[in-house]
Amino acid sequence: GIDMKEVTYEKLTSEETRKALGDITFVTATDGNHGRGVAWTANQLRQHSVVYMPEGSAEERLMNIRAEGAEASITDLNYDDAVRLANRNAEEKGWVMVQDTAWEGYEDIPRWIMQGYGTMGLEAYEQLPEKPTHIFLQAGVGSLAGAITGLFSSLYGDEKPIIGIVEPDQADCLFRTAKADDGKLHPVTGHMRTIMAGLACGEPCSIGWQVLSDYADYRRLLHGCYLPLTWHPCLHNPSARFLFRLF
């Protein structure tokens, strides 16, 4: 093998590497940005990519992904079922699954993606004029939220900012998991109606939740529109000191 420190962009995208790897198809399920990144990377490597988008995805995002050379389509599935479709085709056709949500037996690639999210967080941290008092993070499956929560918890230790996790109330898998506090992940199934299609994820990322359960402070559930805010103390889970919700 080659030391990753020696793998430059030029070497990675070279014809030598392309011939050594052979033909690869990368597959993923996404609402937009992740799929666009996978498609762009496959294009740079002169490989193929397939992107399955969940119901409710924007046509503009579909066009942007296709513009990067991907075979992309909007399915009639929710996000989690689109992930299962991608994984099934990866297993049956020998494709490479590139997903930022993890489950038992599939954790390496999601962990690498979370490390990439951490790089984004570090770039933001390096530009901060002073320590923030609060950080609010989108939930989704919890990978990005877990990565940024882990980064700032590591940087600031016991003096870390208050970290809030935001998710739609129709896709409140992290809220349910935190509230249950039984050591299990609690998914949401069916059609998750929300204007925030990119956050309509019903099954928590296992490795993301491991971080959030220890270091996140709040869970916030957003209704389909902006309405008065109320607070709900969570008596069962000390890691989620308060859960707050819009009604």
Side-chain angles (χ1 to χ4, degrees):
I2 303 174
D3 188 331
M4 286 302 295
K5 295 179 181 178
E6 300 177 5
V7 181
T8 63
Y9 174 80
E10 289 73 21
K11 185 173 183 61
L12 197 60
T13 57
S14 68
E15 181 61 24
E16 176 187 2
T17 299
R18 169 72 177 80
K19 290 181 178 179
L21 291 174
D23 293 329
I24 298 175
T25 295
F26 299 99
V27 62
T28 189
T30 175
D31 171 68
N33 290 336
H34 173 78
R36 193 173 181 181
V38 170
W40 180 88
T41 302
N43 195 17
Q44 299 305 301
L45 298 174
R46 284 166 288 175
Q47 301 288 359
H48 185 57
S49 61
V50 177
V51 179
Y52 298 110
M53 302 177 70
E55 59 180 352
S57 297
E59 188 74 17
E60 180 181 2
R61 293 193 172 201
L62 173 65
M63 294 299 103
N64 287 336
I65 292 172
R66 285 179 175 172
E68 298 293 349
E71 177 186 333
S73 60
I74 298 176
T75 71
D76 59 357
L77 305 171
N78 67 26
Y79 170 80
D80 304 285
D81 287 336
V83 170
R84 276 184 273 274
L85 172 63
N87 191 55
R88 183 167 63 250
N89 282 334
E91 292 178 345
E92 292 176 355
K93 301 178 181 181
W95 295 350
V96 177
M97 179 77 168
V98 183
Q99 204 67 38
D100 70 344
T101 189
W103 56 86
E104 185 176 355
Y106 183 76
E107 295 181 336
D108 286 344
I109 290 177
R111 185 175 290 109
W112 296 336
I113 294 173
M114 287 180 65
Q115 291 170 351
Y117 291 153
T119 300
M120 294 194 303
L122 182 61
E123 292 173 350
Y125 165 75
E126 291 173 342
Q127 298 176 62
L128 291 174
E130 58 185 346
K131 173 192 166 186
T133 60
H134 296 71
I135 298 174
F136 292 96
L137 301 166
Q138 66 190 50
V141 298
S143 297
L144 183 143
I148 304 303
T149 296
L151 171 71
F152 280 89
S153 298
S154 176
L155 289 170
Y156 289 112
D158 293 338
E159 298 182 356
K160 72 175 178 63
I162 293 172
I163 298 176
I165 311 301
V166 184
E167 62 185 349
D169 67 346
Q170 296 297 305
D172 57 346
C173 57
L174 296 182
F175 180 95
R176 296 186 185 197
T177 299
K179 189 174 181 179
D181 190 30
D182 58 3
K184 301 177 182 178
L185 300 177
H186 290 264
V188 179
T189 59
H191 296 281
M192 291 162 273
R193 294 184 177 275
T194 171
I195 61 173
M196 297 169 284
L199 302 184
C201 306
E203 300 179 18
C205 170
S206 58
I207 58 178
W209 174 248
Q210 291 170 8
V211 178
L212 293 174
S213 63
D214 288 337
Y215 296 104
D217 299 296
Y218 300 89
R219 309 287 184 273
R220 183 177 186 178
L221 306 185
L222 297 179
H223 206 59
C225 55
Y226 297 103
L227 296 170
L229 180 70
T230 58
W231 292 70
H232 292 267
C234 179
L235 302 179
H236 303 292
N237 189 343
S239 70
R241 291 196 288 261
F242 288 92
L243 307 177
F244 50 108
R245 180 171 193 160
L246 290 176
F247 287 95

